[in-house]
Amino acid sequence: MSKNLRITNSKFIDQTSRISFKFDGKTLYGFKGDTLASALLANDIHLVGRSFKYHRPRGIMACGPEEPNAIVQVGSDASITEPNTRATEIELYEGLEASSQNCWPSVNFDIGAVNNFFSPLIPAAFYYKTFMWPANFWKLYEYFIRKSAGLGKSPTEPDKDIYDHRYLHCDVLVVGGGISGIIAAKIAAKNNFNTLLIDDKNILGGTTLFQENECFKINNSYSNEWLKKEIETLKSLKNLTIKTRTSLAAYHSYNYLLARENLTDHLDINEKKDKIRQRLWKIRAKKVIISTGAMERPLIFNNNDRPGIILSSSIKRYIDYYGVKCGQRISLFTNNDSAYEAAISLNNSGVIVNSVVDIRDKTNSLIVKQAENLGISISCDGVCLTLISKTNKILEFYLSNETLHRSKFKKIIKGESINLELPLKKGQNISGHICQGHVDYVSKVKKIKLIDKSYLMEFSANTKQKKSLIEKASILINGVSLTISKITKNGFEVWIIPHTYKLTNLSKLKMNSLVNIEVDILSKYVKKYFNEK
Amino acid sequence: MFLINCPYCGERDQSEFSAGGEAHILRPKQPTELSDDQWAEYLFMRKNIKGVQFERWNHTHGCRKWFNMVRDTSNDKIHAVYKMGEKPPVK
Ligand SMILES: [Zn+2]
């Protein structure tokens, strides 16, 4: 059952004007100000397409022109249907019809997805042409391959819309209407330069439009309020032309640029009639200022292309600008401060943030302090897990298939005790060794010996696993950092001092108990460096 | 897309012009006295320099006059334009 993921505090969405549209034949509702992507997310629709070759499920991942996944076909009419448009760039209008591409018969049940299971057999640069042999079989293959190859459908009848092109000359062209673009345009126009400012969105301001965090103040006022005033000043300047919904498409030599202005694409289907749809601007500028800002770089991890995994900057835009929460429970994974902005925005809008998993050791920024009380990430038995809920002294974690497969949690019994460790806090001394919480393999207890109040334990390791073990090196057993005292014939030995034994579940170990092993990260790097398997 | 400063009309878009190849190639005074090789050399062989090159251009969709241009073919920088018959600027 899909849920309504809309919250009601956005200043940019007009919740009084409901818009109906169709996606994959289903009638859905959004509001004026929405993009197709934000409206889909508000309707709890993440799965919008399939990848080109393996037909892996693809969901909305970003919120602007950087969107790689949510590529849709717009319009059902044979003359105006348009393939390969980004759902994140389509402003919602009454009567919009869109559908997923590269899937058949439907995005949820896609026959081509079997390619994903056969992926070892379909390497990169595999061509569907392979199927052309033997020649008389092509008749059989063709129908199915034509269905599964290619992205989108091209129109089959002439375009009925009206298009226009115009020349424009200016002293200064400013591309992008964020903070830097607005200041650049203001200075240029005030100095009597004939200036043109263009932005691809329907309003100027970029991400600053919804930036109202204490940490981001300009001249002692919140950035969004400061920006509002600057835009007002800008509109009163005589030398300045502002074009919104205009995106730069090409930058040729001698400052010759091409830009496309969208004139009616956002209008209701009835209002579009007899109007110029798009205009191509051929711009010759004396100076060009590119102030397009930056895009967030996605983090690399297994299956990061799955639906539901969204850039944190986009999560922030969806919640602050469109008033759409990207999910019910959100966890953030980051290597910098920007995810905390998203966490704070979500929290301010009443969305539960499970955890912020930060790969950094420590950071001093104010925004992290601000977010510190929001979520928590716990290293559990050496496996980095995400906390889902915390009620009545019971912690609920989510374990993925990969985690289950690699760790001993597959064989865990009810009532068994595990080691809990909180993530390193800022300012705490770093001791022990670097543990990532990523289990490498599972070992068995081979020997337990009590010698002088300490315990000597032997764990199993095969020849391959032993390669990354050396005496006196650190190793993580059930999340407890220990030192390898000896490499044995079938594994390795460690000493466990009484303090460790008392505080951890190592005391519960018996012969042949299973434990999670994480080898020293340094050994992995060294191995990689020398190309060892 | 160049912005070309026609010596007769001023700055215009490249789409108004057409290129006419290498400039300052003198027509032999007595073509009949040339060997086939020499004639072919005059007719077909061009320097095609990577760097500063002297070229002829025609303002086809404007004044329709021919003129000369000094252009760096490696970065498309136009160093000078001058009328036909005028002395080329010193290299
Ligand atoms: Zn001319």
Side-chain angles (χ1 to χ4, degrees):
Chain A
M1 187 60 208
S2 62
K3 294 176 181 94
N4 181 12
L5 296 183
R6 180 83 62 175
I7 51 160
T8 48
N9 66 350
S10 168
K11 295 173 229 160
F12 305 97
I13 298 295
D14 180 6
Q15 297 227 15
T16 57
S17 64
R18 205 169 74 143
I19 288 174
S20 76
F21 67 101
K22 268 187 183 173
F23 184 71
D24 281 340
K26 207 174 148 193
T27 303
L28 300 163
Y29 298 95
F31 296 108
K32 202 166 182 146
D34 262 330
T35 60
L36 176 59
S38 69
L40 287 172
L41 284 171
N43 284 286
D44 201 13
I45 293 173
H46 279 272
L47 179 60
V48 290
R50 293 272 170 178
S51 75
F52 186 55
K53 196 157 100 187
Y54 297 138
H55 291 246
R56 286 167 67 82
R58 286 284 150 89
I60 296 157
M61 187 194 165
C63 61
E66 72 277 25
E67 173 62 42
N69 290 349
I71 310 288
V72 297
Q73 179 100 23
V74 173
S76 54
D77 188 298
S79 65
I80 56 156
T81 186
E82 197 176 358
N84 306 331
T85 52
R86 289 178 190 86
T88 50
E89 289 190 304
I90 302 164
E91 289 180 52
L92 206 65
Y93 57 85
E94 185 68 43
L96 169 72
E97 281 182 51
S99 54
S100 342
Q101 294 183 171
N102 204 32
C103 52
W104 178 75
S106 82
V107 73
N108 289 304
F109 175 72
D110 176 45
I111 285 177
V114 295
N115 285 5
N116 199 18
F117 298 105
F118 296 132
S119 60
L121 304 173
I122 314 176
F126 170 90
Y127 284 99
Y128 284 110
K129 274 185 184 170
T130 311
F131 286 113
M132 288 172 91
W133 177 91
N136 51 348
F137 270 50
W138 175 242
K139 282 179 285 189
L140 283 173
Y141 299 142
E142 190 183 7
Y143 175 76
F144 294 99
I145 286 170
R146 290 247 184 263
K147 284 241 178 243
S148 58
L151 292 166
K153 297 177 201 83
S154 45
T156 50
E157 280 168 35
D159 195 336
K160 284 180 273 191
D161 284 317
I162 313 162
Y163 300 86
D164 185 27
H165 65 103
R166 256 189 223 178
Y167 289 92
L168 198 150
H169 296 259
C170 61
D171 295 324
V172 180
L173 168 67
V174 183
V175 186
I179 297 179
S180 51
I182 280 165
I183 293 183
K186 190 173 101 174
I187 293 171
K190 278 195 170 170
N191 283 286
N192 281 327
F193 291 110
N194 182 11
T195 309
L196 172 66
L197 171 64
I198 64 169
D199 194 271
D200 65 330
K201 294 269 189 311
N202 54 341
I203 37 171
L204 294 179
T207 51
T208 315
L209 274 173
F210 46 91
Q211 184 56 274
E212 44 187 341
N213 191 293
E214 291 251 335
C215 297
F216 302 93
K217 280 188 165 178
I218 304 173
N219 292 343
N220 258 330
S221 51
Y222 289 113
S223 347
N224 60 337
E225 280 160 17
W226 171 88
L227 186 93
K228 224 182 278 169
K229 275 183 223 146
E230 289 292 314
I231 293 175
E232 286 315 306
T233 342
L234 217 57
K235 283 178 178 162
S236 66
L237 294 176
K238 268 187 221 143
N239 286 322
L240 180 73
T241 315
I242 301 170
K243 291 207 173 298
T244 50
R245 293 193 177 98
T246 304
S247 36
L248 194 68
Y251 189 167
H252 296 285
S253 54
Y254 289 82
N255 286 347
Y256 179 72
L257 302 102
L258 299 174
R260 184 202 62 175
E261 186 182 13
N262 241 329
L263 296 165
T264 64
D265 275 355
H266 59 287
L267 297 179
D268 288 357
I269 250 171
N270 307 323
E271 294 170 28
K272 286 185 206 286
K273 262 186 192 155
D274 303 323
K275 285 182 189 144
I276 295 167
R277 185 186 171 201
Q278 292 169 355
R279 180 173 287 137
L280 180 70
W281 287 98
K282 301 176 174 184
I283 305 165
R284 192 68 86 160
K286 294 218 170 77
K287 288 275 176 217
V288 179
I289 294 168
I290 306 281
S291 48
T292 48
M295 279 187 261
E296 186 179 349
R297 190 175 68 169
L299 286 170
I300 309 302
F301 53 92
N302 262 356
N303 295 319
N304 67 353
D305 62 333
R306 291 270 153 178
I309 295 166
I310 303 176
L311 297 176
S312 72
S313 58
S314 302
I315 288 185
K316 185 173 158 61
R317 183 180 263 273
Y318 283 121
I319 194 86
D320 285 347
Y321 187 91
Y322 298 108
V324 173
K325 41 184 183 181
C326 292
Q328 307 272 60
R329 296 175 178 143
I330 292 178
S331 295
L332 294 147
F333 178 39
T334 188
N335 58 9
N336 65 78
D337 283 354
S338 64
Y340 295 89
E341 288 179 46
I344 290 165
S345 289
L346 288 166
N347 190 61
N348 291 345
S349 299
V351 181
I352 301 158
V353 179
N354 287 328
S355 55
V356 180
V357 180
D358 195 328
I359 66 165
R360 295 174 296 177
D361 281 341
K362 58 185 205 174
T363 154
N364 290 318
S365 54
L366 287 167
I367 191 122
V368 177
K369 263 184 209 154
Q370 240 187 61
E372 223 160 27
N373 297 323
L374 290 182
I376 196 163
S377 146
I378 294 184
S379 157
C380 176
D381 242 15
V383 184
C384 169
L385 298 175
T386 307
L387 187 60
I388 294 174
S389 70
K390 201 167 76 178
T391 44
N392 288 334
K393 291 186 180 173
I394 290 174
L395 304 173
E396 208 179 298
F397 295 97
Y398 174 75
L399 277 82
S400 68
N401 259 339
E402 169 81 3
T403 311
L404 279 174
H405 183 75
R406 282 208 178 230
S407 66
K408 68 155 197 169
F409 285 120
K410 201 167 50 175
K411 292 182 182 148
I412 202 159
I413 309 158
K414 243 169 139 182
E416 203 173 306
S417 53
I418 55 167
N419 300 324
L420 291 176
E421 189 181 356
L422 292 171
L424 201 64
K425 285 227 178 68
K426 198 175 77 58
Q428 214 170 309
N429 282 335
I430 300 174
S431 58
H433 84 277
I434 303 164
C435 321
Q436 294 183 297
H438 301 152
V439 171
D440 294 298
Y441 51 87
V442 173
S443 274
K444 266 186 186 169
V445 179
K446 286 280 150 209
K447 185 169 83 184
I448 305 174
K449 231 182 185 178
L450 178 67
I451 303 170
D452 243 3
K453 286 179 189 165
S454 284
Y455 287 84
L456 179 70
M457 290 196 188
E458 191 189 348
F459 297 93
S460 66
N462 61 29
T463 327
K464 197 178 145 200
Q465 291 160 348
K466 263 164 69 180
K467 273 195 177 167
S468 42
L469 302 176
I470 39 170
E471 285 175 16
K472 302 284 171 292
S474 298
I475 191 154
L476 219 60
I477 299 170
N478 278 359
V480 183
S481 173
L482 296 163
T483 306
I484 299 169
S485 66
K486 208 170 118 191
I487 308 281
T488 60
K489 208 178 131 210
N490 295 315
F492 59 94
E493 282 178 359
V494 291
W495 280 98
I496 297 154
I497 56 165
H499 174 77
T500 311
Y501 192 79
K502 218 164 41 187
L503 280 179
T504 64
N505 72 351
L506 298 178
S507 57
K508 303 257 163 63
L509 293 180
K510 292 181 198 114
M511 282 298 281
N512 290 323
S513 294
L514 295 176
V515 291
N516 288 327
I517 302 289
E518 179 187 328
V519 298
D520 196 350
I521 180 91
L522 287 175
S523 79
K524 289 181 203 165
Y525 282 130
V526 172
K527 232 165 66 175
K528 179 107 185 156
Y529 184 79
F530 289 107
N531 264 329
E532 250 194 75
K533 286 272 151 65
Chain B
M1 283 285 252
F2 306 159
L3 193 62
I4 298 171
N5 192 9
C6 169
Y8 306 97
C9 312
E11 281 188 339
R12 296 296 163 92
D13 197 275
Q14 185 190 342
S15 56
E16 296 183 13
F17 297 85
S18 41
E22 200 180 315
H24 308 300
I25 295 172
L26 291 178
R27 187 181 163 85
K29 286 204 174 101
Q30 299 289 337
T32 46
E33 286 170 17
L34 294 184
S35 68
D36 283 356
D37 282 354
Q38 282 169 317
W39 183 243
E41 178 78 19
Y42 157 72
L43 216 51
F44 302 117
M45 301 314 277
R46 296 294 180 263
K47 287 190 200 115
N48 196 20
I49 297 161
K50 183 186 178 183
V52 177
Q53 183 167 275
F54 291 76
E55 298 170 335
R56 298 181 305 170
W57 282 75
N58 183 257
H59 194 179
T60 330
H61 303 290
C63 62
R64 302 184 67 192
K65 286 194 172 99
W66 285 91
F67 61 95
N68 294 311
M69 184 196 287
V70 186
R71 180 175 69 104
D72 190 328
T73 57
S74 64
N75 57 17
D76 282 340
K77 223 172 193 174
I78 298 168
H79 292 293
V81 283
Y82 53 100
K83 292 174 182 169
M84 281 293 168
E86 277 181 5
K87 272 202 175 149
V90 205
K91 277 182 199 177

PDB file of all heavy atoms in Angstrom, chain A residues 497-512:
ATOM      1  N   ILE A 497      42.227 -10.771  27.955  1.00  0.00           N
ATOM      2  CA  ILE A 497      42.479 -10.405  29.352  1.00  0.00           C
ATOM      3  C   ILE A 497      41.157 -10.429  30.132  1.00  0.00           C
ATOM      4  O   ILE A 497      40.076 -10.306  29.542  1.00  0.00           O
ATOM      5  CB  ILE A 497      43.175  -9.024  29.466  1.00  0.00           C
ATOM      6  CG1 ILE A 497      42.345  -7.940  28.758  1.00  0.00           C
ATOM      7  CG2 ILE A 497      44.585  -9.080  28.860  1.00  0.00           C
ATOM      8  CD1 ILE A 497      42.743  -6.534  29.105  1.00  0.00           C
ATOM      9  N   PRO A 498      41.196 -10.578  31.457  1.00  0.00           N
ATOM     10  CA  PRO A 498      39.964 -10.731  32.240  1.00  0.00           C
ATOM     11  C   PRO A 498      38.951  -9.595  32.017  1.00  0.00           C
ATOM     12  O   PRO A 498      37.746  -9.851  31.938  1.00  0.00           O
ATOM     13  CB  PRO A 498      40.476 -10.722  33.687  1.00  0.00           C
ATOM     14  CG  PRO A 498      41.884 -11.145  33.608  1.00  0.00           C
ATOM     15  CD  PRO A 498      42.406 -10.676  32.282  1.00  0.00           C
ATOM     16  N   HIS A 499      39.447  -8.354  31.887  1.00  0.00           N
ATOM     17  CA  HIS A 499      38.554  -7.208  31.697  1.00  0.00           C
ATOM     18  C   HIS A 499      37.706  -7.364  30.432  1.00  0.00           C
ATOM     19  O   HIS A 499      36.491  -7.223  30.453  1.00  0.00           O
ATOM     20  CB  HIS A 499      39.409  -5.928  31.621  1.00  0.00           C
ATOM     21  CG  HIS A 499      38.618  -4.702  31.283  1.00  0.00           C
ATOM     22  ND1 HIS A 499      37.832  -4.050  32.208  1.00  0.00           N
ATOM     23  CD2 HIS A 499      38.492  -4.003  30.118  1.00  0.00           C
ATOM     24  CE1 HIS A 499      37.265  -3.007  31.638  1.00  0.00           C
ATOM     25  NE2 HIS A 499      37.647  -2.960  30.367  1.00  0.00           N
ATOM     26  N   THR A 500      38.374  -7.686  29.349  1.00  0.00           N
ATOM     27  CA  THR A 500      37.681  -7.888  28.071  1.00  0.00           C
ATOM     28  C   THR A 500      36.713  -9.065  28.175  1.00  0.00           C
ATOM     29  O   THR A 500      35.569  -9.000  27.716  1.00  0.00           O
ATOM     30  CB  THR A 500      38.705  -8.175  26.952  1.00  0.00           C
ATOM     31  OG1 THR A 500      39.729  -7.198  27.029  1.00  0.00           O
ATOM     32  CG2 THR A 500      38.072  -8.118  25.587  1.00  0.00           C
ATOM     33  N   TYR A 501      37.184 -10.119  28.810  1.00  0.00           N
ATOM     34  CA  TYR A 501      36.395 -11.338  28.939  1.00  0.00           C
ATOM     35  C   TYR A 501      35.085 -11.049  29.676  1.00  0.00           C
ATOM     36  O   TYR A 501      34.011 -11.497  29.284  1.00  0.00           O
ATOM     37  CB  TYR A 501      37.220 -12.382  29.709  1.00  0.00           C
ATOM     38  CG  TYR A 501      36.639 -13.776  29.656  1.00  0.00           C
ATOM     39  CD1 TYR A 501      36.828 -14.574  28.534  1.00  0.00           C
ATOM     40  CD2 TYR A 501      35.903 -14.291  30.730  1.00  0.00           C
ATOM     41  CE1 TYR A 501      36.304 -15.850  28.479  1.00  0.00           C
ATOM     42  CE2 TYR A 501      35.368 -15.563  30.678  1.00  0.00           C
ATOM     43  CZ  TYR A 501      35.576 -16.341  29.551  1.00  0.00           C
ATOM     44  OH  TYR A 501      35.049 -17.611  29.490  1.00  0.00           O
ATOM     45  N   LYS A 502      35.181 -10.209  30.725  1.00  0.00           N
ATOM     46  CA  LYS A 502      34.021  -9.924  31.560  1.00  0.00           C
ATOM     47  C   LYS A 502      32.992  -9.059  30.814  1.00  0.00           C
ATOM     48  O   LYS A 502      31.796  -9.260  30.925  1.00  0.00           O
ATOM     49  CB  LYS A 502      34.499  -9.203  32.822  1.00  0.00           C
ATOM     50  CG  LYS A 502      33.734  -9.641  34.051  1.00  0.00           C
ATOM     51  CD  LYS A 502      34.417  -9.265  35.377  1.00  0.00           C
ATOM     52  CE  LYS A 502      35.044  -7.894  35.406  1.00  0.00           C
ATOM     53  NZ  LYS A 502      35.819  -7.619  36.617  1.00  0.00           N
ATOM     54  N   LEU A 503      33.510  -8.042  30.051  1.00  0.00           N
ATOM     55  CA  LEU A 503      32.611  -7.061  29.440  1.00  0.00           C
ATOM     56  C   LEU A 503      31.975  -7.511  28.129  1.00  0.00           C
ATOM     57  O   LEU A 503      31.004  -6.924  27.688  1.00  0.00           O
ATOM     58  CB  LEU A 503      33.364  -5.753  29.181  1.00  0.00           C
ATOM     59  CG  LEU A 503      33.538  -4.839  30.402  1.00  0.00           C
ATOM     60  CD1 LEU A 503      34.308  -3.604  29.988  1.00  0.00           C
ATOM     61  CD2 LEU A 503      32.186  -4.438  30.989  1.00  0.00           C
ATOM     62  N   THR A 504      32.536  -8.514  27.502  1.00  0.00           N
ATOM     63  CA  THR A 504      32.047  -8.855  26.159  1.00  0.00           C
ATOM     64  C   THR A 504      31.446 -10.247  26.124  1.00  0.00           C
ATOM     65  O   THR A 504      31.551 -10.992  27.097  1.00  0.00           O
ATOM     66  CB  THR A 504      33.200  -8.808  25.135  1.00  0.00           C
ATOM     67  OG1 THR A 504      34.127  -9.822  25.490  1.00  0.00           O
ATOM     68  CG2 THR A 504      33.883  -7.461  25.126  1.00  0.00           C
ATOM     69  N   ASN A 505      30.854 -10.585  24.985  1.00  0.00           N
ATOM     70  CA  ASN A 505      30.254 -11.916  24.872  1.00  0.00           C
ATOM     71  C   ASN A 505      31.272 -12.985  24.533  1.00  0.00           C
ATOM     72  O   ASN A 505      30.917 -14.118  24.284  1.00  0.00           O
ATOM     73  CB  ASN A 505      29.080 -11.914  23.879  1.00  0.00           C
ATOM     74  CG  ASN A 505      29.539 -11.795  22.438  1.00  0.00           C
ATOM     75  OD1 ASN A 505      30.712 -11.546  22.165  1.00  0.00           O
ATOM     76  ND2 ASN A 505      28.611 -11.964  21.510  1.00  0.00           N
ATOM     77  N   LEU A 506      32.547 -12.601  24.542  1.00  0.00           N
ATOM     78  CA  LEU A 506      33.582 -13.611  24.313  1.00  0.00           C
ATOM     79  C   LEU A 506      33.561 -14.642  25.446  1.00  0.00           C
ATOM     80  O   LEU A 506      33.989 -15.779  25.268  1.00  0.00           O
ATOM     81  CB  LEU A 506      34.959 -12.951  24.198  1.00  0.00           C
ATOM     82  CG  LEU A 506      35.140 -11.970  23.026  1.00  0.00           C
ATOM     83  CD1 LEU A 506      36.525 -11.358  23.049  1.00  0.00           C
ATOM     84  CD2 LEU A 506      34.886 -12.635  21.677  1.00  0.00           C
ATOM     85  N   SER A 507      33.044 -14.210  26.604  1.00  0.00           N
ATOM     86  CA  SER A 507      32.967 -15.135  27.743  1.00  0.00           C
ATOM     87  C   SER A 507      31.961 -16.251  27.497  1.00  0.00           C
ATOM     88  O   SER A 507      31.995 -17.289  28.139  1.00  0.00           O
ATOM     89  CB  SER A 507      32.581 -14.357  29.001  1.00  0.00           C
ATOM     90  OG  SER A 507      31.356 -13.687  28.770  1.00  0.00           O
ATOM     91  N   LYS A 508      31.034 -16.019  26.577  1.00  0.00           N
ATOM     92  CA  LYS A 508      30.004 -17.019  26.303  1.00  0.00           C
ATOM     93  C   LYS A 508      30.443 -18.038  25.253  1.00  0.00           C
ATOM     94  O   LYS A 508      29.700 -18.935  24.900  1.00  0.00           O
ATOM     95  CB  LYS A 508      28.724 -16.316  25.803  1.00  0.00           C
ATOM     96  CG  LYS A 508      28.189 -15.290  26.774  1.00  0.00           C
ATOM     97  CD  LYS A 508      26.982 -15.844  27.541  1.00  0.00           C
ATOM     98  CE  LYS A 508      26.675 -15.037  28.786  1.00  0.00           C
ATOM     99  NZ  LYS A 508      26.288 -13.649  28.512  1.00  0.00           N
ATOM    100  N   LEU A 509      31.653 -17.829  24.712  1.00  0.00           N
ATOM    101  CA  LEU A 509      32.092 -18.697  23.623  1.00  0.00           C
ATOM    102  C   LEU A 509      32.393 -20.101  24.133  1.00  0.00           C
ATOM    103  O   LEU A 509      32.966 -20.286  25.201  1.00  0.00           O
ATOM    104  CB  LEU A 509      33.331 -18.121  22.929  1.00  0.00           C
ATOM    105  CG  LEU A 509      33.124 -16.823  22.150  1.00  0.00           C
ATOM    106  CD1 LEU A 509      34.434 -16.374  21.513  1.00  0.00           C
ATOM    107  CD2 LEU A 509      32.051 -16.988  21.079  1.00  0.00           C
ATOM    108  N   LYS A 510      31.978 -21.071  23.331  1.00  0.00           N
ATOM    109  CA  LYS A 510      32.300 -22.456  23.631  1.00  0.00           C
ATOM    110  C   LYS A 510      33.041 -23.021  22.431  1.00  0.00           C
ATOM    111  O   LYS A 510      33.180 -22.347  21.413  1.00  0.00           O
ATOM    112  CB  LYS A 510      30.996 -23.253  23.852  1.00  0.00           C
ATOM    113  CG  LYS A 510      30.280 -22.848  25.105  1.00  0.00           C
ATOM    114  CD  LYS A 510      29.018 -23.704  25.277  1.00  0.00           C
ATOM    115  CE  LYS A 510      28.087 -23.030  26.257  1.00  0.00           C
ATOM    116  NZ  LYS A 510      26.845 -22.572  25.652  1.00  0.00           N
ATOM    117  N   MET A 511      33.452 -24.252  22.527  1.00  0.00           N
ATOM    118  CA  MET A 511      34.074 -24.895  21.377  1.00  0.00           C
ATOM    119  C   MET A 511      33.110 -24.860  20.197  1.00  0.00           C
ATOM    120  O   MET A 511      31.913 -25.107  20.366  1.00  0.00           O
ATOM    121  CB  MET A 511      34.405 -26.356  21.701  1.00  0.00           C
ATOM    122  CG  MET A 511      35.655 -26.539  22.550  1.00  0.00           C
ATOM    123  SD  MET A 511      37.134 -25.946  21.727  1.00  0.00           S
ATOM    124  CE  MET A 511      37.447 -27.322  20.629  1.00  0.00           C
ATOM    125  N   ASN A 512      33.637 -24.514  19.025  1.00  0.00           N
ATOM    126  CA  ASN A 512      32.868 -24.477  17.773  1.00  0.00           C
ATOM    127  C   ASN A 512      31.809 -23.376  17.696  1.00  0.00           C
ATOM    128  O   ASN A 512      30.997 -23.368  16.778  1.00  0.00           O
ATOM    129  CB  ASN A 512      32.214 -25.832  17.469  1.00  0.00           C
ATOM    130  CG  ASN A 512      33.259 -26.859  17.095  1.00  0.00           C
ATOM    131  OD1 ASN A 512      34.239 -26.523  16.423  1.00  0.00           O
ATOM    132  ND2 ASN A 512      33.082 -28.071  17.570  1.00  0.00           N
TER     133      ASN A 512
END
